[in-house]
Amino acid sequence: MRLSRVIESRTVLRKVSSELRLLNGGSCQSVEFPTNNSKRSSSELPTKPLNKSWRDSADTVIIGGGCVGASVAYHLAKAGMKDVVLLEKSELTAGSTWHAAGLTTFYHAGINLKNIHYYSLKLYGKLEEETGQAVGLHTPGSVRLAATPERMDEFRYQMQRQGWHKAEQYLVNTEQVKELVPIINTDKVLGGLFTPDDGHIDPYSLTHALAIGARKYGAEILMPAPVNALKSRPDGSWEVQTPHGSIRAQRVINACGFWARELGKLAGIDIPLVPIHHQYLVTQPISEVKQLKSEIPVVRDLDGSYYLRQEKEGLLFGPYEAPDKMRMCDDWVTNCVPKGFGMELFEPDVDRISREVNAAMDMFPCLQNAEIKNVISGPITYSPENLPLIGPYLDLPNYWEATGFGYGIVHAGGAGKFLADWIMNGEPSYDLIECDPNRHSPSWLTLNYLFDKARESYGLNNLVGYPKEERWAGRPTARTSGAYDAMIKRGAEMGFHAGWEQPHWFALPGDTAGYAPSYRRPNWFKPVCREVEGVLNSVGIIDLTPFGKLRVTGRDAAKFLIYISANFLPKVGSTTITHMLTPKGRVYAELTVTRFASDDFLCITGSGSELHDLRWMLEKRREGGYDVTIENTTDAQACLGVAGPRSREVLAELTDEDLSHEGFPFMCNRRMSVAGIPVTAIRISYTGELGWELYHSREDTLKLYEALLAAGAKHSIIDFGTYALNSMRIEKGFRGWGAEMNLDTNPLEAGLERFIKLNKVVGNTTSGSYGYQVGQSIAFAYLPVDVKPGETVQVELLGERRNAIVQSKAPILTEAARGTQ
């Protein structure tokens, strides 16, 4: 059947072939194209004996034999772990691996995941030599196409971030795109982003190469061995039960693909993953493709929302259809994966992808008369934001996640290495917090949120990725401030922070309201200037409720915090900034520690670090056997901040407490009443100006907010959001965790000397903003050690290099340093 006729008639393809040849020169496997949604009863499953003798103990048990599980086994065994066992319920590659299109790329829009991609591709290039197993790796490069000026801006933005990454990439013009891809119609192409050595690989052969390597280094692979129970033991080990018997393991790793939720339930947790129907088409040989002198790069038509690559003398292309067209296996989430599903596919539905197929035929005219060879429709797994879950799970000792890989083939190698390094060394080798399996709290993540967000992430897969991007599906969650509605009425433009809605800025009458992202100055530029001026000249109020809040109490509370902190603890009634460092001295987290009594502390962390930091603290408590209680009060406690030279006068209207500098010094705290509401007030402000953070019960937020607004009315109090806060903190030289400091830096590199007591311690921009006080753009940057203050460097912005002068100190002093208390 010709592709053009399929689209014109809206014909839904049925059974295409009784056999599917695995692509890229891999092994030929006979695979059923089932009907009735690929469901078979368990009684239809063949009964196979175990492939080798059973064993009853292991150091690490990996559950799942796809490319990710095989990679974890390979890397742990190669790193020297002597007792690694992989359990596969049926056969290697069953699930999503075997039918994947196999794309590989060095590119990633983020920073940290580039490391995963880079390692994977370098590994795949050496596997055949190491294991003797061909992997069908093709490296013709890839080109991302731009059909709009906004997309070209995105590519320029990615080029200015190129310094973060070791792999090459280049901007190419329309003529160069045509040279790279002779069969393309460039009428709508403005340019492209070319990444050499990208390509594709045979997933089946890749997985078997990793498995061969794992066995070579001493790992065992047992199959078919489905896991039917997981039991944690008091000593932190696990009992893994299968029909063949039980294995006692020091740790278990969930690498089960779209079965991951079901394994998670056996461990007592609910993993936020949902399988999605993904389709791609393979054509018969095409004459224009036959005439090519070399394999074309993989093409990603981002505005057309599909990828395309050469498959022998034909083409393979796969779309990401719009959110209202795509299909999810939501019944697999609410119920379970159909028994026996593993090496099966769904019935194709080309109607659903007609828009993207038409776009592909327009861009590649040779497709219009191409004959379809196969339509592959199978499940891939998505997390809400389509980022994997990699690492240990919160308060579930020795249980690890390697799940949620929407792009498992390109992630497998790097993810296996990342996990193996973490397990063997006791800490991650670099920062990957966006893949933290603890980033979703059960307190706010619902099934509706999971479904809505995954639908959005898949359907908007190729949307232009602007700085400060917001996605709106599933919002708001249960995490809204008590003053949320009131702030919305006052013009709040909200951002999303770990489930919370928090004002980024406020649109007043005359402003252009709404989300309007841009690579240049956006609609919030002038309103944020107004907010900064309001704080600097009078007083402003900000919602800081998303801060993570962890209460540490008990007999060993001080001893425990001394152990995990790089700074001395504050005295009772005082507050300090400290950092949790890894054994190698890298910055794992930043905490603001407030001390109420000798054994009573409040640790405050960033919104995105709440469960990341809690997991570390619980782990260290467990390892040290400390008698301490750690309570997560994030959802129960809210926080409003007041800042600016008039903030003391505003608070004085609402309390009888002495707020003078002598009566309430900087970095001190006090439990007091404000407008009749019990609060914990801390004299601190990330703005660097005079200010207080007021922690209180979440149910009192609206009353406190209205009281502060009323008391501040005569001082022209202004609402301000996180954009203004960020500008002011950068001007004061305040580092931000996750930007200036993280697991990729040690505290001295990050300029944290004053917060680090060395006797306790086991050339890129990181943050940037317009400095409304200095009237210039400012940024933090890591530079070579021989670059000195006063020297001129160049910063690339959308393809243009701008001069910047290296400063020896922050351009604006804090309120405390100015002595204007």
Side-chain angles (χ1 to χ4, degrees):
M1 180 178 291
R2 288 183 180 177
L3 190 58
S4 58
R5 291 207 303 271
V6 171
I7 301 306
E8 290 166 3
S9 62
R10 294 292 193 268
T11 302
V12 179
L13 294 181
R14 296 296 178 185
K15 190 173 180 181
V16 184
S17 171
S18 61
E19 289 191 344
L20 172 66
R21 181 175 297 274
L22 291 174
L23 306 175
N24 301 316
S27 302
C28 190
Q29 300 286 322
S30 294
V31 181
E32 177 185 349
F33 276 76
T35 58
N36 195 26
N37 204 30
S38 303
K39 295 185 179 181
R40 294 189 293 179
S41 68
S42 58
S43 62
E44 295 176 296
L45 289 174
T47 302
K48 294 183 179 179
L50 195 66
N51 63 328
K52 61 189 307 181
S53 298
W54 189 251
R55 53 183 302 167
D56 58 11
S57 66
D59 187 282
T60 297
V61 168
I62 301 155
I63 305 170
C67 59
V68 173
S71 176
V72 175
Y74 164 85
H75 283 94
L76 281 173
K78 189 173 183 178
M81 187 172 285
K82 300 301 183 184
D83 207 4
V84 178
V85 174
L86 186 151
L87 301 179
E88 164 52 43
K89 72 191 301 289
S90 57
E91 58 185 293
L92 294 179
T93 76
S96 296
T97 297
W98 73 272
H99 62 73
L103 302 186
T104 56
T105 178
F106 287 104
Y107 176 89
H108 191 275
I111 298 297
N112 301 325
L113 273 165
K114 281 182 168 67
N115 294 316
I116 294 283
H117 288 222
Y118 186 85
Y119 178 87
S120 289
L121 268 67
K122 292 299 182 181
L123 171 68
Y124 299 166
K126 300 182 294 185
L127 269 181
E128 181 175 353
E129 179 182 353
E130 181 180 355
T131 67
Q133 169 67 54
V135 296
L137 179 63
H138 296 238
T139 57
S142 76
V143 60
R144 286 166 171 77
L145 302 180
T148 66
E150 292 77 17
R151 186 72 70 179
M152 284 303 298
D153 275 351
E154 180 184 26
F155 291 170
R156 295 184 186 102
Y157 176 71
Q158 287 300 329
M159 285 302 299
Q160 75 191 38
R161 296 153 66 93
Q162 176 62 12
W164 289 91
H165 194 34
K166 293 170 284 220
E168 299 175 78
Q169 66 183 30
Y170 304 97
L171 276 178
V172 291
N173 60 32
T174 305
E175 292 72 23
Q176 290 169 315
V177 170
K178 185 68 174 180
E179 290 176 10
L180 290 166
V181 191
I183 59 175
I184 195 172
N185 170 19
T186 58
D187 288 350
K188 297 180 180 179
V189 176
L190 300 182
L193 189 65
F194 177 62
T195 310
D197 297 325
D198 281 6
H200 52 99
I201 197 169
D202 172 20
Y204 181 89
S205 299
L206 168 64
T207 305
H208 280 273
L210 290 166
I212 290 169
R215 293 188 185 102
K216 173 182 175 181
Y217 296 114
E220 290 192 48
I221 299 175
L222 303 179
M223 57 186 180
V227 173
N228 49 39
L230 281 177
K231 293 184 179 180
S232 60
R233 299 171 61 90
D235 64 356
S237 65
W238 287 85
E239 183 179 334
V240 184
Q241 298 180 359
T242 80
H244 305 284
S246 297
I247 300 182
R248 183 173 177 179
Q250 295 306 306
R251 70 183 55 79
V252 294
I253 301 175
N254 183 344
C256 290
F258 55 70
W259 289 282
R261 281 183 61 88
E262 295 180 27
L263 188 76
K265 288 177 181 177
L266 297 181
I269 59 175
D270 194 10
I271 304 174
L273 301 173
V274 57
I276 288 175
H277 292 223
H278 180 64
Q279 301 184 97
Y280 63 85
L281 291 78
V282 184
T283 75
Q284 297 285 1
I286 299 172
S287 60
E288 291 88 342
V289 177
K290 288 181 180 181
Q291 296 169 19
L292 292 170
K293 296 180 180 179
S294 59
E295 182 176 353
I296 63 171
V298 176
V299 176
R300 291 174 174 85
D301 180 359
L302 304 177
D303 297 297
S305 197
Y306 65 89
Y307 57 83
L308 177 145
R309 68 169 174 83
Q310 189 171 333
E311 171 57 25
K312 298 181 180 176
E313 294 181 334
L315 295 173
L316 176 156
F317 65 103
Y320 289 91
E321 58 268 40
D324 61 326
K325 296 286 188 181
M326 54 85 71
R327 288 186 60 193
M328 294 190 300
C329 303
D330 47 2
D331 56 325
W332 291 17
V333 175
T334 55
N335 188 10
C336 64
V337 179
K339 299 297 182 184
F341 193 96
M343 300 295 283
E344 291 77 32
L345 296 170
F346 304 124
E347 290 188 13
D349 181 3
V350 181
D351 267 358
R352 205 169 70 236
I353 57 175
S354 60
R355 174 193 169 276
E356 292 77 20
V357 172
N358 279 317
M361 290 191 297
D362 185 44
M363 191 70 74
F364 293 89
C366 63
L367 280 174
Q368 294 175 10
N369 294 310
E371 297 284 340
I372 297 174
K373 178 181 180 182
N374 283 318
V375 180
I376 312 302
S377 179
I380 59 175
T381 307
Y382 261 50
S383 68
E385 59 289 283
N386 191 26
L387 289 171
L389 284 65
I390 310 175
Y393 198 82
L394 175 70
D395 206 23
L396 200 57
N398 301 313
Y399 172 92
W400 295 66
E401 289 281 331
T403 62
F405 291 90
Y407 309 109
I409 306 304
V410 72
H411 286 159
K417 172 67 170 171
F418 182 82
L419 269 184
D421 286 349
W422 195 343
I423 290 169
M424 299 298 287
N425 301 328
E427 64 180 88
S429 50
Y430 50 88
D431 184 72
L432 203 59
I433 191 173
E434 61 265 51
C435 297
D436 189 341
N438 307 295
R439 63 186 184 267
H440 308 107
S441 171
S443 69
W444 59 268
L445 191 143
T446 64
L447 281 183
N448 284 339
Y449 177 87
L450 168 62
F451 295 153
D452 290 348
K453 210 67 180 175
R455 182 176 293 278
E456 176 187 61
S457 295
Y458 182 89
L460 303 182
N461 184 282
N462 293 312
L463 199 69
V464 173
Y466 289 101
K468 303 185 185 300
E469 181 183 51
E470 291 290 326
R471 296 281 181 94
W472 302 99
R475 296 171 53 182
T477 72
R479 278 189 157 180
T480 56
S481 161
Y484 173 78
D485 290 334
M487 290 180 177
I488 289 289
K489 291 178 181 178
R490 291 176 61 85
E493 296 290 346
M494 294 290 181
F496 189 77
H497 300 268
W500 291 101
E501 298 291 329
Q502 184 179 28
H504 277 170
W505 62 285
F506 286 77
L508 301 185
D511 295 333
T512 301
Y515 175 65
S518 173
Y519 286 101
R520 292 168 175 78
R521 288 185 176 174
N523 58 331
W524 48 259
F525 181 80
K526 290 184 178 179
V528 170
C529 177
R530 178 180 62 230
E531 293 171 19
V532 169
E533 290 175 350
V535 172
L536 296 177
N537 296 325
S538 186
V539 60
I541 183 170
I542 185 172
D543 187 0
L544 300 173
T545 298
F547 279 163
K549 296 163 283 272
L550 309 174
R551 190 76 175 272
V552 180
T553 58
R555 185 183 66 185
D556 293 341
K559 182 180 178 182
F560 169 70
L561 288 174
I562 288 172
Y563 173 70
I564 67 170
S565 302
N567 198 357
F568 295 124
L569 295 183
K571 298 177 181 179
V572 174
S574 296
T575 297
T576 193
I577 307 292
T578 190
H579 298 84
M580 295 193 292
L581 305 183
T582 69
K584 293 183 179 179
R586 295 180 300 162
V587 183
Y588 187 83
E590 181 177 71
L591 298 175
T592 301
V593 178
T594 291
R595 191 170 195 169
F596 303 127
S598 62
D599 59 354
D600 188 355
F601 299 83
L602 177 64
C603 298
I604 303 163
T605 186
S607 59
S609 310
E610 170 198 349
L611 301 181
H612 169 272
D613 295 2
L614 176 59
R615 189 208 63 79
W616 183 267
M617 294 169 75
L618 292 172
E619 179 181 286
K620 299 308 171 187
R621 180 186 67 175
R622 188 166 55 245
E623 291 175 354
Y626 292 99
D627 181 6
V628 61
T629 298
I630 304 174
E631 179 187 5
N632 186 356
T633 64
T634 300
D635 286 300
Q637 271 189 301
C639 180
L640 294 177
V642 287
R646 302 296 182 190
S647 56
R648 179 180 283 121
E649 297 171 47
V650 172
L651 282 181
E653 300 247 348
L654 303 172
T655 184
D656 294 330
E657 297 286 335
D658 181 1
L659 301 177
S660 67
H661 178 62
E662 294 73 22
F664 203 145
F666 180 58
M667 298 295 281
C668 287
N669 68 81
R670 185 177 304 165
R671 286 169 169 161
M672 54 192 256
S673 175
V674 175
I677 298 166
V679 305
T680 296
I682 305 174
R683 190 177 155 195
I684 190 174
S685 177
Y686 205 33
T687 65
E689 300 299 317
L690 176 66
W692 280 262
E693 292 175 357
L694 307 175
Y695 293 85
H696 57 280
S697 175
R698 192 168 156 195
E699 62 189 17
D700 291 329
T701 301
L702 179 59
K703 181 180 177 182
L704 181 60
Y705 178 64
E706 291 176 339
L708 290 168
L709 288 175
K714 63 184 178 183
H715 301 292
S716 301
I717 193 169
I718 191 170
D719 290 292
F720 71 103
T722 58
Y723 291 171
L725 181 68
N726 188 56
S727 173
M728 287 184 276
R729 71 97 180 170
I730 292 177
E731 287 185 313
K732 305 304 194 311
F734 293 166
R735 278 71 171 169
W737 192 89
E740 286 69 57
M741 49 181 163
N742 54 31
L743 280 169
D744 299 330
T745 58
N746 67 52
L748 301 184
E749 289 175 325
L752 303 175
E753 296 91 339
R754 68 187 185 279
F755 301 124
I756 305 295
K757 307 307 175 187
L758 291 178
N759 58 352
K760 296 182 87 272
V761 171
V762 181
N764 303 287
T765 58
T766 55
S767 293
S769 177
Y770 187 80
Y772 292 93
Q773 296 177 77
V774 297
Q776 293 178 307
S777 295
I778 52 178
F780 279 113
Y782 284 101
L783 299 172
V785 293
D786 57 344
V787 176
K788 305 300 181 185
E791 292 189 28
T792 298
V793 297
Q794 290 189 319
V795 178
E796 185 175 349
L797 295 172
L798 295 181
E800 296 184 17
R801 297 197 172 190
R802 308 293 181 88
N803 288 340
I805 299 175
V806 179
Q807 304 294 308
S808 61
K809 58 185 178 181
I812 302 294
L813 293 175
T814 65
E815 173 265 343
R818 296 196 302 265
T820 57
Q821 294 89 353

